[in-house]
């Protein structure tokens, strides 16, 4: 697949709303079979289409692609025999055992539609949450928990099926249980509720009584949001969006500037050494 075919395929998949990762070789030091500009698409199951080099690079690129798909980010891999940990954020040093001794830098990025967030409720917090989340890059749908529950039971109009990446219940006393149960059954990767911890515990017990698995119910984030001292609906919404971004990006929540550049990134190793010859097509 040449680059023209590859980019046509990328455009087709984006138009179809598919999610995948795109890996691009940006720099090489020969001998290596990879050449600058070569690309590959990686699906969520780890399958790879295209070419970014031999087995020395493939496993590391696939691993980075899966991580980017999980958190919606990007990564720059520096694959070489003498890989050393780097203090640069977003750069991952990968040690290659390929006997060709070549090196390659590969840029990996998640591709696809914006992450879908369902917001339950029509409260001031819910409306502020929808607005702020949209500005932060989420695709937002406002949901009516009672209507959704009725549709699921066949008692009302049935909306087109979709699966959210995130769901936040901000009903605040207006149909809490119906909205929360629908959110928990939505298959969202992350479900949170704007409520007190005591109320959350009571609703968890009720959900288990209604047939949900305890492990699933325990994953509910309640109270929703990060501890920023929020008081107004807008501040509460901001704290919830911050938590969504933190979870999506896999961040640790430290304040900006708290980490030192003297702390190197962990070194990865491509643990598929070549027994003889070179998988990258170069002379040994």
């Amino acid at each position: 697949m040449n680059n023209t075919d590859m980019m046509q395929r990328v455009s087709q998949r984006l138009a179809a709303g598919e999610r995948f990762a795109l890996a691009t070789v940006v720099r090489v030091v020969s001998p290596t079979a990879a050449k600058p500009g070569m690309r590959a698409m990686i699906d969520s199951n780890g399958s790879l289409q295209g070419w970014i080099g031999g087995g020395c690079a493939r496993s590391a690129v696939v691993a980075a692609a899966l991580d980017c798909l999980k958190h919606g980010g990007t990564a720059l891999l520096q694959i070489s025999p003498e890989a050393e940990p780097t203090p640069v954020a977003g750069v991952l040093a990968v040690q290659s055992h390929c006997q060709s001794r070549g090196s390659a830098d590969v840029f990996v990025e998640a591709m696809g539609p914006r992450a879908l967030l369902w917001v339950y409720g029509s409260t001031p917090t819910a409306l502020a949450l929808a607005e702020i989340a949209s500005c932060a890059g989420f695709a937002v749908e406002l949901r009516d928990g009672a209507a959704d529950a009725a549709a699921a039971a066949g008692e009302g109009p049935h909306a087109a099926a979709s699966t959210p990446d995130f769901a936040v219940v901000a009903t605040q006393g207006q149909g809490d249980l119906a909205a929360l149960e629908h959110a928990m059954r939505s298959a969202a990767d992350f479900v949170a509720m704007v409520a007190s911890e005591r109320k959350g515990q009571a609703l968890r017990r009720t959900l288990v009584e209604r047939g949900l698995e305890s492990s699933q119910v325990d994953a509910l984030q309640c109270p929703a949001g990060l501890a920023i001292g929020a008081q107004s609906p807008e501040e509460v919404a901001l704290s919830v969006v911050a938590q969504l971004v933190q979870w999506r990006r896999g961040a640790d929540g430290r304040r900006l500037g708290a980490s030192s550049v003297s702390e190197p990134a962990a070194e990865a190793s491509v643990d598929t050494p070549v027994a003889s010859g070179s998988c990258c097509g170069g002379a040994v």
Side-chain angles (χ1 to χ4, degrees), residues 30 43 47 52 60 70 76 84 92 94 118 141 150 161 164 168 173 190 209 224 234 238 255 263 266 281:
S30 294
D43 292 328
S47 64
I52 39 78
K70 179 179 179 180
L76 177 61
E84 295 181 358
L92 178 63
V94 180
W118 282 2
E141 289 185 13
V168 178
F190 177 99
E209 293 171 358
E234 293 78 13
L238 177 63
R255 65 177 179 83
E263 300 175 0

Side-chain angles (χ1 to χ4, degrees), residues 71-86:
H71 299 298
T74 63
L76 177 61
L77 278 65
Q78 295 182 335
I79 305 169
S80 69
E82 298 86 13
E84 295 181 358
T86 171

Side-chain angles (χ1 to χ4, degrees), residues 35-195:
K35 298 295 183 284
M38 287 184 169
R39 294 185 173 93
M41 293 182 292
I42 300 94
D43 292 328
S44 57
N45 62 3
S47 64
L48 182 147
Q49 302 175 52
W51 183 253
I52 39 78
C56 309
R58 182 184 179 113
S59 60
V61 170
V62 169
L66 295 178
D67 187 68
C68 288
L69 285 172
K70 179 179 179 180
H71 299 298
T74 63
L76 177 61
L77 278 65
Q78 295 182 335
I79 305 169
S80 69
E82 298 86 13
E84 295 181 358
T86 171
V88 181
V91 177
L92 178 63
V94 180
Q95 185 175 24
S96 169
H97 299 288
C98 180
Q99 295 185 19
S100 71
R101 309 294 291 176
S103 301
D105 294 351
V106 182
F107 180 69
V108 181
E109 57 185 322
M111 308 287 285
R114 295 192 298 170
L116 177 58
L117 167 65
W118 282 2
V119 178
Y120 293 81
S122 57
T123 63
T125 300
L127 298 179
L129 175 57
E131 181 178 359
I132 297 173
S134 180
C135 292
F138 294 86
V140 180
E141 289 185 13
L142 283 170
R143 310 291 300 194
D144 182 324
D148 285 335
E155 301 171 357
H158 183 69
S162 60
T163 301
D165 300 285
F166 304 91
V168 178
V169 178
T171 45
Q172 296 180 284
Q174 303 172 22
D176 295 339
L177 180 59
L180 182 58
E181 183 173 2
H182 190 269
M184 296 298 296
R185 295 184 185 277
S186 69
D189 293 330
F190 177 99
V191 180
M193 184 173 189
V194 179

